[in-house]
Amino acid sequence: MSLLTVMPPVETPHLLLREITAGDGDHFAAYMLQPRYQRHVNLRLKDEVEIDDFVARSLARQGDDRRRIFHLAAEERMSGDVVGDGFLLLQPDGAVEMGWGVHPAMWAMGLGTEIGRALMGMGFERLQARTMWCKIMVDNNASLKLARRIGLRFDRAHSNYPLTGGGFGTVEIFRLNAADYFDLPY
């Protein structure tokens, strides 16, 4: 799998997916700290200090040739506001885990689909992933539908998945291999 030190930005119809910048913390705090957003993610940042630390860690990884994590901001092209995010986590076996999030005020507008498709393209086309996968909490119906919409296929359920804060929950794992990705219709 090819390693990039910086992920080139990707434009979708409404978004620009780009590397995180130092000024993104306030935008992330505007939605990542909302209970409606947090109920669907495993990593729950609790305050602005943790958001700032998250941004600092993301910035520190940029340019590192050992880089395995790409966390991206989803900037609305018209307004320039960050309205979502995505990540790609490279694994030694050629798999890439992906995940996405959207500001709750922007739910049901198709932005998650744009982020998910862009992440799959980045993973398969830029990082040469052999397979892409994601895990989704079973009560997150919108993301379960989104995974199928972008071509991911249900792999299995994991009923005892460890959650941040010491709890456990059920997640569904979705997966797609590179050969099937390149056969998907546009």
Side-chain angles (χ1 to χ4, degrees):
M1 184 173 350
S2 166
L3 291 181
L4 295 174
T5 59
V6 176
M7 181 65 71
V10 170
E11 287 189 25
T12 71
H14 300 98
L15 300 171
L16 174 69
L17 262 72
R18 59 163 175 76
E19 293 272 13
I20 290 175
T21 64
D24 289 336
D26 290 341
H27 290 281
F28 287 143
Y31 69 93
M32 287 182 171
L33 299 177
Q34 290 186 26
R36 289 189 326 152
Y37 176 85
Q38 289 191 349
R39 77 172 188 241
H40 296 300
V41 297
N42 188 20
L43 177 61
R44 295 182 179 117
L45 302 171
K46 67 180 180 189
D47 56 30
E48 288 84 2
V49 172
E50 286 193 2
I51 297 268
D52 290 342
D53 290 344
F54 161 73
V55 169
R57 286 190 310 274
S58 295
L59 291 171
R61 284 191 286 269
Q62 294 173 12
D64 186 339
D65 61 0
R66 298 165 297 166
R67 185 174 188 183
R68 299 304 236 182
I69 301 171
F70 293 86
H71 205 108
L72 306 160
E75 180 180 302
E76 187 181 38
R77 288 175 49 189
M78 274 179 76
S79 69
D81 292 339
V82 174
V83 296
D85 63 283
F87 73 84
L88 298 166
L89 176 58
L90 286 67
Q91 299 168 337
D93 64 356
V96 174
E97 180 182 1
M98 62 187 277
W100 54 82
V102 176
H103 192 305
M106 309 297 274
W107 286 354
M109 297 175 67
L111 300 180
T113 300
E114 289 186 33
I115 294 169
R117 285 186 175 137
L119 291 171
M120 284 211 329
M122 292 171 164
F124 284 123
E125 297 172 28
R126 293 186 177 168
L127 299 173
Q128 289 87 45
R130 290 188 353 200
T131 186
M132 299 277 300
W133 70 279
C134 68
K135 60 183 174 296
I136 302 170
M137 293 181 174
V138 294
D139 63 344
N140 188 348
N141 290 324
S143 282
L144 293 170
K145 290 177 186 175
L146 187 157
R148 288 180 175 92
R149 187 178 314 118
I150 65 174
L152 294 167
R153 298 176 183 142
F154 176 79
D155 184 47
R156 69 183 185 281
H158 189 306
S159 61
N160 232 1
Y161 192 81
L163 303 175
T164 307
F168 293 89
T170 301
V171 297
E172 291 189 1
I173 309 291
F174 289 81
R175 181 176 308 277
L176 186 69
N177 66 41
D180 290 337
Y181 168 77
F182 287 106
D183 285 341
L184 287 175
Y186 283 90

